[in-house]
Amino acid sequence: MDTKIFTGNFFENYLSLTHYQTLFAIAALLISFYIIKKLQDKKVSFSLRMFAGLGMGIVLGLGIQCLTGFQKEPLIWMQETATWYGLFGRIFISFIRMLVIPLVFVSIVKVIIDFSGQKDLPKIAFRGIFWLLFTTGIACIIGILLGNIFSLGYTHNTLPIELKGREMTNLVDTFVNLVPSNIVSAMNTENIIGLVIFSALIGLGANRMEKKNPEAIGLFKKLIEGLYKIVMSVTMTIIKYMPYAVIALLSKTIISNGIPAIMEVSGFVLSVYIAAILMLLIHVLLVSLHGISPLLFVKKSVEVWLMGFTSRSSVGTLPLTIATLTERMGVSSGTANLIGSLGSTMGMNGCAGFFPALIAIMVAHMIGIPMDAQFYIMLVIVVVIGSIGVAGIPGTATIAATIVLSGMGLGEYFPLIGMVLAIDPIIDMPRTMANVSGSLTSAVIVDKETGNMNMNIFNDPDVILKD
């Protein structure tokens, strides 16, 4: 039965608003937004708002599908509804992508200049960075393997998209091309690795010139600090609206794709949980190779793992991470504070390791890009280097995925991961657990390597945290 209430080119093609069902669907979305706003006004935690958005997105999407008897082909009013729902999701994604360049630049410069003047800590810092990035590289490889094992994003109807522009490049040229000849062009084309290299050089240059020009470099550091706070403030403001985007993205995907979309994303969820478990096992293996009891390490790490899993915040877990390292594992205060802090802002095994790798593999499958050894090597490099430029805030994984897709030349296909972003609360828990476990592992290994670890404390199974 035709239920059109508006006709004509203006309503059909410009407004995408011709049926009364579309109006009701838009009204339902706005009501959902109102509920999220009330929860926000009542200071309900971000995690609970995300879960609420997840639930409402599922209800909206399945409710609209149910009204049509779960038809395989969406009706016209469903297509219109998906278009309007896409407005909010696409705007959010655009805002996230807009922040990538400034966030990476100020984050990398700040990380470099923060090491200035810490003469007694460089050895610990560089070892810590190595282990954080090394475990992130392992996490990336796990993501690549699982993404291919589960064939994420792959369907038999997948067709190559614009592959003729992707010419084969040898390994030497690949590494040469990492260094940008024009930084403005690199920013414009979202050459993230080039931006990271440039940002690191700026930070190193500032540290070298500090003694000769303390006043000018002091002003520069204050400028970077101010820019960092401003960019982080803008980022947090945008991330605050992620629950709204979750409703729109999830419901739009279900409306457009139906139940198969949910079944497809279930493979991604399973991959994330398996990747997190594998990373915990690798962390335990690494500490055992350094002569540390794996059983005691697990026993003393469980509380931090659970805190990360439930809080979904590496930064929020940081106080417990540092306290556990110093009081229960015998790690020196300097190592625990430095590497614990670094681990909550860079080299995060979950959010910046296996998650963006899974995303990249999924998108490559979706658009039909052939993946060879060069693709995988490049992906590991992009993931590891890109993990330095993320921050330990809610939405970190989304930013990391954006950085990696842009670094792989797939930035334009970011909207394809809308369904994954929509179920973010479900997969953020194991990601964060892997993050904090990576911080614990790196700190313990570094302190053991440098001989600063108090093994008497670590080997005491009954030691507890102080009140």
Side-chain angles (χ1 to χ4, degrees):
M1 183 178 67
D2 190 1
T3 57
K4 277 189 179 182
I5 56 175
F6 302 113
T7 58
N9 187 57
F10 176 75
F11 289 102
E12 293 175 0
N13 299 318
Y14 186 73
L15 283 185
S16 293
L17 192 63
T18 60
H19 293 66
Y20 75 88
Q21 291 98 326
T22 306
L23 293 174
F24 282 126
I26 294 174
L29 180 65
L30 294 177
I31 291 172
S32 300
F33 286 173
Y34 177 77
I35 294 173
I36 293 293
K37 180 63 169 60
K38 297 301 292 185
L39 293 176
Q40 185 176 325
D41 292 340
K42 292 181 179 180
K43 308 298 181 182
V44 174
S45 70
F46 181 80
S47 296
L48 289 178
R49 296 203 309 274
M50 285 289 287
F51 278 112
L54 180 69
M56 284 187 279
I58 293 174
V59 170
L60 270 179
L62 291 181
I64 291 174
Q65 279 280 344
C66 183
L67 289 176
T68 63
F70 297 97
Q71 295 191 28
K72 293 183 178 180
E73 294 296 329
L75 302 177
I76 293 177
W77 70 266
M78 293 175 67
Q79 295 174 358
E80 294 176 348
T81 299
T83 298
W84 279 97
Y85 280 23
L87 166 68
F88 303 97
R90 289 165 61 189
I91 286 177
F92 176 80
I93 289 173
S94 295
F95 271 120
I96 289 293
R97 292 189 64 185
M98 175 187 70
L99 290 171
V100 171
I101 298 300
L103 182 60
V104 170
F105 176 74
V106 297
S107 295
I108 296 298
V109 175
K110 186 176 184 300
V111 165
I112 298 298
I113 64 177
D114 279 350
F115 283 119
S116 176
Q118 300 182 27
K119 296 181 180 179
D120 55 335
L121 293 180
K123 184 178 180 181
I124 294 174
F126 286 116
R127 282 177 180 264
I129 291 173
F130 167 79
W131 282 109
L132 286 170
L133 298 184
F134 178 74
T135 52
T136 299
I138 295 176
C140 175
I141 294 172
I142 288 176
I144 291 172
L145 293 174
L146 290 174
N148 283 305
I149 290 173
F150 284 90
S151 298
L152 298 181
Y154 175 80
T155 65
H156 293 294
N157 295 322
T158 300
L159 294 175
I161 297 180
E162 298 180 3
L163 294 181
K164 59 183 180 180
R166 300 179 60 87
E167 299 180 358
M168 183 65 66
T169 307
N170 64 51
L171 186 60
V172 173
D173 289 340
T174 298
F175 281 104
V176 170
N177 292 336
L178 294 180
V179 182
S181 59
N182 185 325
I183 189 59
V184 176
S185 176
M187 291 181 178
N188 185 52
T189 57
E190 296 183 326
N191 179 357
I192 301 302
I193 292 183
L195 179 60
V196 168
I197 293 173
F198 175 77
S199 304
L201 290 174
I202 293 293
L204 291 171
N207 287 344
R208 290 186 62 185
M209 295 298 294
E210 187 170 17
K211 291 183 179 180
K212 295 181 179 179
N213 300 278
E215 186 175 347
I217 300 303
L219 290 174
F220 174 75
K221 288 189 174 183
K222 289 182 179 179
L223 173 63
I224 291 297
E225 182 69 27
L227 286 174
Y228 180 78
K229 290 182 178 180
I230 291 171
V231 172
M232 293 304 297
S233 175
V234 174
T235 303
M236 289 302 298
T237 300
I238 293 173
I239 292 297
K240 183 173 65 176
Y241 292 97
M242 194 169 179
Y244 299 90
V246 163
I247 299 175
L249 287 168
L250 182 54
S251 54
K252 174 186 180 298
T253 304
I254 295 176
I255 292 168
S256 301
N257 303 288
I259 300 299
I262 300 177
M263 297 305 296
E264 182 177 333
V265 83
S266 65
F268 192 93
V269 174
L270 182 61
S271 299
V272 170
Y273 276 82
I274 292 175
I277 293 172
L278 290 176
M279 281 311 301
L280 294 188
L281 293 175
I282 288 173
H283 293 156
V284 173
L285 175 62
L286 288 174
V287 297
S288 65
L289 290 176
H290 283 77
I292 298 170
S293 169
L295 294 179
L296 281 176
F297 178 76
V298 171
K299 179 180 179 180
K300 298 185 177 187
S301 299
V302 167
E303 289 184 4
V304 183
W305 291 351
L306 292 178
M307 178 69 174
F309 188 86
T310 54
S311 69
R312 297 173 48 234
S313 172
S314 299
V315 173
T317 311
L318 184 57
L320 179 61
T321 300
I322 293 175
T324 299
L325 285 170
T326 55
E327 297 176 22
R328 298 196 66 195
M329 295 187 174
V331 175
S332 62
S333 177
T335 301
N337 281 277
L338 179 60
I339 298 180
S341 299
L342 284 175
S344 66
T345 56
M346 64 178 290
M348 291 180 282
N349 293 180
C351 291
F354 57 74
F355 175 72
L358 287 168
I359 289 288
I361 296 298
M362 183 183 73
V363 171
H365 280 153
M366 293 174 78
I367 64 177
I369 288 181
M371 291 176 286
D372 51 18
Q374 178 182 276
F375 180 91
Y376 295 131
I377 292 172
M378 189 67 179
L379 180 55
V380 173
I381 294 172
V382 171
V383 167
V384 171
I385 296 181
S387 70
I388 302 173
V390 295
I393 58 174
T396 293
T398 304
I399 294 172
T402 310
I403 291 172
V404 170
L405 288 179
S406 298
M408 294 298 294
L410 303 173
E412 62 183 297
Y413 302 112
F414 185 79
L416 293 178
I417 70 170
M419 184 63 178
V420 173
L421 298 183
I423 50 101
D424 188 75
I426 296 175
I427 57 179
D428 195 29
M429 295 183 289
R431 284 190 320 223
T432 307
M433 181 173 65
N435 292 345
V436 298
S437 181
S439 296
L440 288 172
T441 302
S442 299
V444 168
I445 289 176
V446 169
D447 224 42
K448 187 66 165 59
E449 288 179 339
T450 55
N452 295 322
M453 188 171 177
N454 188 330
M455 295 305 298
N456 291 328
I457 294 178
F458 182 86
N459 290 326
D460 185 352
D462 299 319
V463 66
I464 59 175
L465 293 176
K466 298 176 183 178
D467 294 331

